[in-house]
Amino acid sequence: MTSSTTTRSAWERTTQRQRALRTLTSSVEKDPATLQDAVRRARTQTFGSLETLLLEAHAQWVRTFDARLDTLMENGAYGDQEAVDALWTQTATALPGTARVLDAYADHPELVRAHAQHVRRTRRSMATELPSRWTPPTTVRRGSEQCGWRRRAMSLLPH
């Protein structure tokens, strides 16, 4: 087998996993109630194990967050917890389906380990802490058109 065959095969697997992750997170973003079924489907069709799926989702989160964190570091935000918290929320806004999947499995040992490594790396590089959950707490504002009955119901569900 030539190296170009091996590389192409690895590229195809990576592409397939990225597409499957996008399908999963889009499905969860559109309808959070489908989370368990969507994870099961993605795991059996593409990822093979829950651990592999969770680590792929976490890697996507870390790449997105850290790319934005680099900008904060370049702008001298060392030790700025408020800026890091805002960045975490921005990442959750950019990757809402991923955040829901990660929160749903936050206690899984592989995800706990991966998140702990991210926390340590951020603490060393920025002297700040990271939240233990990926989705920001939902606040319900009474009387707001944006917070209808569905949003209130969703905020009461465990993430």
Side-chain angles (χ1 to χ4, degrees):
M1 184 184 296
T2 66
S3 63
S4 64
T5 305
T6 304
T7 303
R8 183 167 185 227
S9 193
W11 176 255
E12 287 172 352
R13 282 192 307 272
T14 299
T15 302
Q16 180 185 20
R17 285 184 174 180
Q18 291 301 310
R19 285 184 184 140
L21 185 60
R22 191 173 324 123
T23 299
L24 165 65
T25 58
S26 294
S27 171
V28 170
E29 182 180 346
K30 290 175 189 167
D31 186 1
T34 66
L35 190 139
Q36 297 301 321
D37 289 335
V39 165
R40 190 172 16 265
R41 195 169 37 257
R43 188 187 74 231
T44 57
Q45 292 175 356
T46 305
F47 293 97
S49 71
L50 179 59
E51 290 79 12
T52 302
L53 185 153
L54 293 176
L55 291 175
E56 193 74 36
H58 187 263
Q60 177 192 46
W61 179 277
V62 170
R63 283 189 306 272
T64 304
F65 178 82
D66 284 356
R68 296 170 181 199
L69 186 65
D70 284 347
T71 303
L72 282 181
M73 291 168 68
E74 289 170 3
N75 290 322
Y78 182 82
D80 189 343
Q81 185 66 53
E82 189 174 312
V84 171
D85 290 344
L87 181 58
W88 193 262
T89 300
Q90 290 169 9
T91 305
T93 301
L95 301 172
T98 304
R100 284 189 183 276
V101 168
L102 294 173
D103 265 349
Y105 292 93
D107 296 329
H108 189 282
E110 286 296 319
L111 193 52
V112 168
R113 182 191 56 74
H115 185 60
Q117 288 175 346
H118 192 211
V119 167
R120 284 190 300 273
R121 193 170 59 251
T122 304
R123 191 179 297 138
R124 278 193 313 267
S125 64
M126 287 293 290
T128 57
E129 296 297 323
L130 295 180
S132 60
R133 296 292 183 168
W134 288 268
T135 55
T138 305
T139 55
V140 177
R141 290 171 278 154
R142 306 250 181 247
S144 172
E145 284 182 329
Q146 291 182 347
C147 296
W149 67 270
R150 185 163 193 229
R151 180 165 290 194
R152 279 188 222 119
M154 292 303 295
S155 72
L156 297 174
L157 292 175
H159 293 276

